[in-house]
Amino acid sequence: MDKNYFESLDKCSRCGGCQAHCPIFYETGKEPFVARGKIELLENLRSGKINWNDKLADIFSMCLLCGACTENCPNGVQGDKLVMMARNELVADGRLHIIKKNVFQHLLRYNGRLNAFGKCLYLYQKTGMQKIVRASRLLNLMPMDLAKIETLLPPFADGPFRKKVPFINRVEKPRLKVAYFTGCVTNLINHQVGYSILKIMKANGVEAIIPEQFCCGVPAFASGDFATGKILGMRNIKEFTQEDVDYIIFDCASCLSTWLDYPELLESEEAGKLAEKLMDVNRFLVEVLDVKLTPREMGVKVTYHDPCHLKRTKNGRTAPRELLRRLSPAYEYVEMGLADRCCGSAGSFNISHYRLSQQVASRKVKSILESGADVVASACPSCMMQLSHALKNEGSNVAVKHLVELAAESMK
Ligand code: SF4
Ligand code: SF4
């Protein structure tokens, strides 16, 4: 364990305050799953009373990395970071799950393979194969709730977004130049988000370039595979330092948060130099462009879900809400009760712990339905997939959209 890791453990006074904020503790009521319980286990590991084992691997997999414990800890203990460090130690102990190992080391690292994977899923869905598989109920015979997990699949696009749009999206006399980090979900699944951003940039005189890029690494870092995360991060830094831009914009809260952590995770000075250019697209629209939207009258009620990774960044709670206010009267913004509670997606948590993840999501769905909204907006493609799935499971027809989709739709 490294030195900072030790220091963080020593800060915990065992007050138990984190229990009130942890979604996993809320659902399970089990002490080992909350930050305090994990810290106790880490203390025992530090003193050599216990060693890493399968049971501990299970316990440390039970965390959404939502950061609610960190945000509310009176002593500044970073519970989510401790879990990530612990997972890194588990990987060093040879305990990275074989499926994750293959996905991170043989898929995520290679854009060509990732694109081919996306194409296969597109064909699986478009050729009727998906319908056959579902009708056959074959997946019901498989372990790990595979039949249910399969229904998490969103509709894949017929190819990568980045191959459909030019490298430079030129405008006459640009007022600013940005580089757009599309993230994997916009690239392979929800192209509409990417097109919306390019449309808004063009309308506001911003030249957007879309450099060659790789997964930000968040799935690997979150699972403790720091080696893969670092490879991906360093490749991204290399690509995004080729051209001078005013800002690097993100439509995905998790990608942004990972990039903000790059200087520490990659121990890279180059990454540190880019840090002040990184910006969530909603904040960019509100604070930098100060967009004046002229929405058409549509009168749709919309509520907003705070992605965990966005709300802790600078103005990560206020900028998206300000953008929504500027969409009035096309969209009437209503705050939901549990706006900033984690949706339970947490990268691959909704696959590895499907049932618990849906349990967490059902609280959010209840809150969305109570708000009476027709649309739930967010700023993280991963949250959006989780919310769509959970709402569908409840038989709800509330639409899930990215904020930039609403902004682009409401522009004349
Ligand atoms: S992690 Fe923070 S909130 Fe939780 S028990 Fe320790 S000091 Fe208290
Ligand atoms: S990061 Fe979230 S899920 Fe994990 S221990 Fe903290 S509050 Fe609980």
Side-chain angles (χ1 to χ4, degrees):
M1 291 187 202
D2 75 19
K3 191 170 160 285
N4 296 335
Y5 198 24
F6 277 130
E7 282 171 3
S8 192
L9 288 183
D10 293 336
K11 280 198 230 164
C12 177
S13 61
R14 309 294 198 268
C15 69
C18 41
Q19 285 188 344
H21 304 280
C22 177
I24 298 296
F25 183 77
Y26 191 83
E27 299 302 335
T28 63
K30 292 187 177 160
E31 177 70 11
F33 299 154
V34 75
R36 181 174 66 174
K38 292 191 172 81
I39 287 166
E40 189 63 32
L41 291 169
L42 290 170
E43 278 287 359
N44 283 305
L45 281 156
R46 173 164 74 166
S47 63
K49 285 187 194 149
I50 53 175
N51 291 308
W52 290 113
N53 56 44
D54 290 347
K55 178 79 186 152
L56 285 176
D58 280 349
I59 290 172
F60 280 91
S61 75
M62 294 288 267
C63 173
L64 299 161
L65 299 179
C66 69
C69 50
T70 300
E71 203 173 2
N72 294 286
C73 175
N75 295 335
V77 176
Q78 295 190 302
D80 53 342
K81 291 273 158 63
L82 280 171
V83 172
M84 256 175 77
M85 295 297 292
R87 288 178 182 173
N88 184 227
E89 295 222 340
L90 281 159
V91 170
D93 201 52
R95 292 175 190 277
L96 182 61
H97 192 286
I98 183 78
I99 295 176
K100 285 191 173 184
K101 188 173 178 175
N102 277 300
V103 169
F104 300 155
Q105 297 175 11
H106 302 295
L107 188 62
L108 277 195
R109 291 185 190 187
Y110 305 94
N111 276 350
R113 293 180 195 175
L114 205 53
N115 292 344
F117 180 70
K119 187 81 178 184
C120 288
L121 287 172
Y122 167 77
L123 292 172
Y124 167 70
Q125 292 170 330
K126 284 288 162 185
T127 56
M129 182 77 84
Q130 185 175 45
K131 280 189 188 146
I132 295 168
V133 169
R134 287 182 178 180
S136 74
R137 297 178 185 269
L138 259 178
L139 294 177
N140 290 337
L141 305 172
M142 303 289 181
M144 277 181 66
D145 288 322
L146 208 59
K148 294 223 165 71
I149 291 168
E150 193 272 346
T151 64
L152 277 169
L153 275 182
F156 272 71
D158 60 352
F161 172 75
R162 295 196 294 267
K163 287 207 187 295
K164 291 178 188 278
V165 289
F167 167 69
I168 302 182
N169 295 271
R170 293 189 192 281
V171 291
E172 291 264 318
K173 297 185 186 154
R175 58 193 269 214
L176 286 170
K177 184 174 178 181
V178 299
Y180 172 26
F181 187 82
T182 69
C184 299
V185 181
T186 295
N187 192 38
L188 296 176
I189 297 167
N190 198 353
H191 288 187
Q192 203 46 42
V193 171
Y195 286 123
S196 298
I197 287 181
L198 295 184
K199 179 180 172 183
I200 300 169
M201 293 304 141
K202 192 172 179 189
N204 285 278
V206 178
E207 186 163 278
I209 62 164
I210 305 181
E212 171 72 359
Q213 52 195 271
F214 300 83
C215 165
C216 67
V218 69
F221 282 122
S223 296
D225 182 0
F226 283 24
T228 298
K230 282 180 183 176
I231 289 171
L232 294 168
M234 290 310 291
R235 284 184 193 160
N236 281 325
I237 296 298
K238 185 172 170 228
E239 296 296 342
F240 278 74
T241 41
Q242 303 291 318
E243 294 229 7
D244 192 28
V245 293
D246 300 298
Y247 293 94
I248 300 173
I249 57 167
F250 297 80
D251 64 42
C252 171
S254 298
C255 299
L256 170 67
S257 150
T258 308
W259 269 75
L260 287 170
D261 284 342
Y262 273 171
E264 189 188 332
L265 290 169
L266 310 180
E267 297 169 277
S268 153
E269 268 183 40
E270 211 66 33
K273 284 182 202 156
L274 287 182
E276 63 185 27
K277 293 188 176 186
L278 311 179
M279 204 174 270
D280 164 58
V281 65
N282 305 293
R283 192 175 151 222
F284 179 74
L285 296 185
V286 170
E287 292 181 18
V288 180
L289 296 187
D290 191 18
V291 284
K292 305 278 187 276
L293 295 162
T294 47
R296 285 169 283 141
E297 298 277 346
M298 290 188 282
V300 175
K301 244 186 193 180
V302 57
T303 192
Y304 177 69
H305 159 72
D306 281 291
C308 297
H309 283 141
L310 187 61
K311 69 188 182 198
R312 291 191 301 274
T313 64
K314 191 174 175 203
N315 297 344
R317 287 176 203 264
T318 51
R321 286 175 172 79
E322 174 56 26
L323 187 61
L324 274 171
R325 274 187 270 277
R326 292 184 191 200
L327 286 166
S328 172
Y331 291 97
E332 182 199 338
Y333 168 52
V334 285
E335 182 82 16
M336 72 168 106
L338 295 178
D340 71 349
R341 194 183 178 86
C342 178
C343 65
S345 165
S348 58
F349 188 88
N350 59 353
I351 298 173
S352 57
H353 299 85
Y354 178 81
R355 285 175 196 223
L356 183 55
S357 150
Q358 292 309 311
Q359 224 174 298
V360 175
S362 69
R363 313 245 170 227
K364 177 66 78 172
V365 166
K366 190 165 176 279
S367 189
I368 293 168
L369 297 179
E370 281 170 359
S371 76
D374 308 295
V375 176
V376 54
S378 195
C380 174
S382 173
C383 299
M384 288 166 62
M385 288 195 288
Q386 171 84 340
L387 294 174
S388 295
H389 181 74
L391 282 161
K392 204 165 144 201
N393 279 349
E394 292 288 332
S396 162
N397 55 8
V398 171
V400 182
K401 300 223 171 185
H402 197 290
L403 280 168
V404 295
E405 288 181 84
L406 301 184
E409 277 169 19
S410 67
M411 277 165 53
K412 277 184 181 162

